[in-house]
Amino acid sequence: MIKFKEFNTQPYDVHISAFFQDENKKYPEDAFEYVDLKAIDRKLVILVYRQTNINLRQLKAMSEPVLTSGC
């Protein structure tokens, strides 16, 4: 699932790192992946990230070779 998070204080890198750490604590069964960072203006950036359930991610990784082999 693609999600968005807005940051309006600097330094952004510190806030983004802390955000991902907090999300990992809240949702230990999910994996978070950075997608993009969009600057809106000098004071606002939008973080675009993907949140995926770890079990579903592993299942997809295991099923891809089977689906692409043509069996």
Side-chain angles (χ1 to χ4, degrees):
M1 170 178 355
I2 299 290
K3 293 187 169 188
F4 305 91
K5 174 70 177 166
E6 163 180 312
F7 294 94
N8 57 10
T9 57
Q10 292 183 347
Y12 302 117
D13 57 342
V14 172
H15 294 290
I16 291 169
S17 297
F19 169 73
F20 278 128
Q21 288 174 355
D22 290 344
E23 291 297 294
N24 281 324
K25 288 178 187 173
K26 284 191 246 178
Y27 307 103
E29 69 283 354
D30 289 351
F32 297 89
E33 180 182 0
Y34 165 87
V35 175
D36 201 1
L37 191 64
K38 298 289 184 182
I40 305 303
D41 59 31
R42 290 182 58 202
K43 297 182 180 180
L44 178 66
V45 296
I46 303 292
L47 170 67
V48 182
Y49 66 99
R50 181 177 293 121
Q51 182 177 357
T52 309
N53 183 278
I54 292 173
N55 295 328
L56 291 176
R57 191 175 186 173
Q58 290 173 345
L59 179 62
K60 181 181 177 189
M62 289 175 20
S63 65
E64 283 179 354
V66 172
L67 294 175
T68 58
S69 68
C71 295

